[in-house]
């Protein structure tokens, strides 16, 4: 990898980290979700900054070209993050469903109470009790 | 028992029963279905679960005398059914019947299912359109299209393998549950196309199930949600859901405390 490539990549990762930090600061991103992105950024930084680490990983896995190694690691990260998002969506769907169901049950109860109240309010007019 | 005798004792016989009708854009049939259910099951309460319909399903259900549970958005039939079962659990119903909103089920068939569960013959009684033999064209009954029959047979074979029970109509949407099943499924209900998966879940929790013959009628209005290339996807999805349901640890039964609350005989 040429030093120029390395510099551009590291600059990009630093910018990425700043964006994540700023999003959290403005409450656009929850701290919990920002962590996975910061870790991703750190891993990318380590791999780009330290050629030896990349070569070592390459030898370990039998990948001859360092750049291929980078792509593989990157894709693996993205796949896992997407999977994490699917899990989050499943949890959100379950919560969303429970809220909607509760809302429907409460609405039925409310309608019943309203009609009960309506009959109670009309009754004294037609049949005045001792007051 | 003669039907008249049943009707005379109606409120006593069906008073602890909730009829659950999930409906999504069924404005053309829902009122007739509700009225028919109320006439056939005198004393039972009827609730329509409107699954985020865009048409006037909700208003027509109310006008026909049903209770209404309106979901604010479309959650799918599994979630709609679960909403009805939650109501049945909260209000202490002993029995729950499911009918479809398109009018294909005959509420008098539901009555026979209910009576079987009331007699304690099973925890779940399910209607099957395949136990009567194929209806002839003159009877006015609905003839299930051949392709669909084949699909259902395939699923029935899979269910047979997984449960070692003979199930002829695994996708049937006409059934009756007792209180224990109501409490179980109100907590854990399968999604999307829930009938087959629910079958497996109930089998694995050792609920007793029977199938009784029922006649499917032509729809009052609308088209099946399952047709064309979508049906292949449906089959695949249901089969995968059934296999997973058979492999994973089944959802736990309610805790003994709430089990007591769920079993009216213990109170």
């Amino acid at each position: 990898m040429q030093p120029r490539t390395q510099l551009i990549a590291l600059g990009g990762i630093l910018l990425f980290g700043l964006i994540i930090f700023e999003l959290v600061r403005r409450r656009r991103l929850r701290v919990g979700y920002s962590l996975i992105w910061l870790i991703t950024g750190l891993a990318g930084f380590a791999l780009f900054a330290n050629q030896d680490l990349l070569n070592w990983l390459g030898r370990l896995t039998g990948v001859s070209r360092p750049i291929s190694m980078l792509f593989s690691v990157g894709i693996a990260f993205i796949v896992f993050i997407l999977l994490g998002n699917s899990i989050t969506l499943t949890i959100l769907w379950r919560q969303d469903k429970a809220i909607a169901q509760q809302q429907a049950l409460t609405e039925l109860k409310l309608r019943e109470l309203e009609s009960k109240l309506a009959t109670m309010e009309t009754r004294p007019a037609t049949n005045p009790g001792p007051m | 028992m003669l039907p008249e005798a049943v009707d005379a004792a109606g409120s006593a016989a069906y008073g602890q029963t909730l009829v659950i009708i999930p409906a999504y854009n069924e404005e053309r049939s829902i009122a007739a279905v509700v009225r028919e259910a109320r006439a056939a099951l005198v004393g039972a309460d009827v609730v329509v679960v409107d699954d985020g319909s865009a048409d006037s399903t909700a208003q027509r259900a109310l006008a026909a005398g049903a209770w209404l549970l309106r979901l604010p958005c479309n959650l799918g039939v599994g979630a709609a059914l679960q909403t009805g079962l939650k109501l049945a659990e909260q209000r202490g119903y002993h029995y729950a019947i499911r009918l479809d909103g398109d009018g294909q089920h005959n509420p008098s068939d539901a009555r026979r299912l209910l009576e079987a569960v009331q007699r304690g013959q099973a925890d779940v009684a399910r209607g099957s359109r395949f136990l009567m033999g194929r209806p002839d064209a003159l009877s006015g009954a609905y003839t299930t299209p051949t392709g669909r029959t084949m699909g259902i047979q395939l699923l029935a074979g899979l269910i047979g393998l997984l449960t070692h029970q003979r199930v002829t109509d695994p996708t049937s949407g006409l059934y009756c549950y007792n209180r224990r099943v109501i409490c179980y499924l109100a907590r854990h209900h399968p999604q999307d196309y829930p009938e087959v998966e629910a079958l497996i879940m109930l089998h694995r929790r050792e609920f007793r199930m029977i199938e009784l013959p029922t006649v499917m009628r032509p729809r009052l209005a609308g088209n099946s949600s399952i047709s064309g290339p979508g049906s292949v996807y449906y089959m695949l999805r249901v089969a995968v859901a059934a296999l997973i349901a058979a492999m994973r640890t089944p959802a736990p039964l309610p805790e003994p405390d709430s089990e007591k609350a769920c079993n009216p005989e213990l109170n």
Side-chain angles (χ1 to χ4, degrees):
Chain A
M1 206 180 332
Q2 290 193 14
R4 191 167 40 165
T5 319
Q6 217 170 352
L7 268 181
I8 292 171
L10 291 178
I13 290 170
L14 273 180
L15 186 67
F16 178 74
L18 279 177
I19 291 172
I20 298 288
F21 182 77
E22 190 57 20
L23 282 173
V24 176
R25 210 177 61 82
R26 293 189 192 174
R27 300 176 212 285
R28 294 274 297 275
L29 190 63
R30 273 172 54 182
V31 179
Y33 296 128
S34 73
L35 277 180
I36 183 79
W37 291 110
L38 287 176
I39 291 168
T40 309
L42 276 177
F45 195 90
L47 287 176
F48 272 105
N50 191 341
Q51 194 86 48
D52 291 338
L53 182 64
L54 199 58
N55 289 334
W56 175 77
L57 259 181
R59 277 197 306 278
L60 198 72
T61 54
V63 179
S64 50
R65 291 167 66 91
I67 200 73
S68 304
M69 193 61 226
L70 265 182
F71 281 135
S72 312
V73 172
I75 290 169
F77 252 100
I78 291 169
V79 166
F80 273 105
I81 287 175
L82 285 177
L83 184 63
N85 283 348
S86 292
I87 293 170
T88 309
L89 278 177
T90 306
I91 296 168
L92 285 176
W93 149 255
R94 196 181 303 138
Q95 293 172 343
D96 190 47
K97 183 188 79 168
I99 293 169
Q101 290 178 326
Q102 190 54 54
Q103 197 267 344
L105 290 162
T106 309
E107 194 188 55
L108 172 65
K109 187 105 220 168
L110 181 69
R111 221 178 294 123
E112 288 170 348
L113 288 174
E114 273 173 351
S115 69
K116 209 175 265 180
L117 193 66
T119 52
M120 279 169 76
E121 277 169 351
T122 54
R123 202 171 291 154
T126 55
N127 182 19
M131 272 289 275
Chain B
M1 214 186 319
L2 292 167
E4 299 87 69
V6 173
D7 284 342
S11 45
Y14 306 127
Q16 296 160 327
T17 305
L18 183 66
V19 179
I20 302 168
I21 306 174
Y24 179 55
N25 292 339
E26 306 272 16
E27 65 177 4
R28 284 185 292 168
S29 55
I30 194 70
V33 173
V34 169
R35 278 196 292 268
E36 203 183 16
R38 293 181 68 205
L41 296 150
V42 177
D45 293 314
V46 177
V47 64
V48 169
V49 188
D50 175 18
D51 191 12
S53 295
D55 64 5
S56 60
T57 299
Q59 291 86 325
R60 294 195 184 186
L62 276 177
W67 289 347
L68 175 68
L69 283 170
R70 186 174 5 196
L71 294 169
C73 47
N74 183 250
L75 294 179
V77 67
L81 284 168
Q82 188 182 27
T83 315
L85 290 171
K86 283 182 174 179
L87 182 73
E89 188 196 359
Q90 282 176 9
R91 304 203 170 177
Y93 286 95
H94 292 212
Y95 309 101
I97 290 171
R98 174 195 168 182
L99 288 179
D100 275 348
D102 58 13
Q104 282 198 286
H105 299 142
N106 186 343
S108 9
D109 283 337
R111 200 153 63 183
R112 288 189 295 114
L113 300 179
L114 173 61
E115 280 157 11
V117 176
Q118 281 179 329
R119 280 197 300 271
Q121 232 176 307
D123 301 306
V124 180
R126 304 176 46 264
S128 167
R129 72 190 102 161
F130 299 116
L131 284 176
M132 295 253 222
R134 279 181 87 78
D136 60 86
L138 291 174
S139 68
Y142 165 81
T143 320
T144 308
T146 315
R148 179 164 309 186
T149 305
M150 278 168 54
I152 294 173
Q153 302 294 349
L154 269 174
L155 284 176
L158 178 67
I159 308 291
L161 278 177
L162 293 174
T163 66
H164 307 292
Q165 268 186 26
R166 182 164 173 265
V167 173
T168 59
D169 196 354
T171 62
S172 170
L174 175 65
Y175 43 74
C176 176
Y177 293 149
N178 69 7
R179 176 109 189 126
R180 280 182 60 233
V181 180
I182 292 172
C183 289
Y184 183 55
L185 288 182
R187 286 171 176 73
H188 317 280
H189 201 285
Q191 292 305 324
D192 300 320
Y193 307 104
E195 295 84 6
V196 174
E197 202 183 331
L199 251 178
I200 306 250
M201 282 172 67
L202 292 172
H203 167 76
R204 295 205 55 200
R205 279 295 171 200
E206 293 170 356
F207 289 101
R208 296 164 304 142
M209 291 183 265
I210 51 164
E211 262 187 348
L212 295 173
T214 54
V215 177
M216 282 270 267
R217 301 180 295 190
R219 287 169 173 270
L220 289 175
N223 290 310
S224 170
S225 56
I226 302 159
S227 59
S231 50
V232 177
Y233 174 68
Y234 166 81
M235 284 282 300
L236 206 68
R237 190 158 167 172
V238 171
V240 169
L243 279 171
I244 289 176
M247 285 189 291
R248 71 172 155 218
T249 317
L253 291 166
E255 292 295 308
D257 287 358
S258 50
E259 173 83 1
K260 193 179 165 204
C262 279
N263 193 343
E265 276 78 49
L266 294 178
N267 289 334

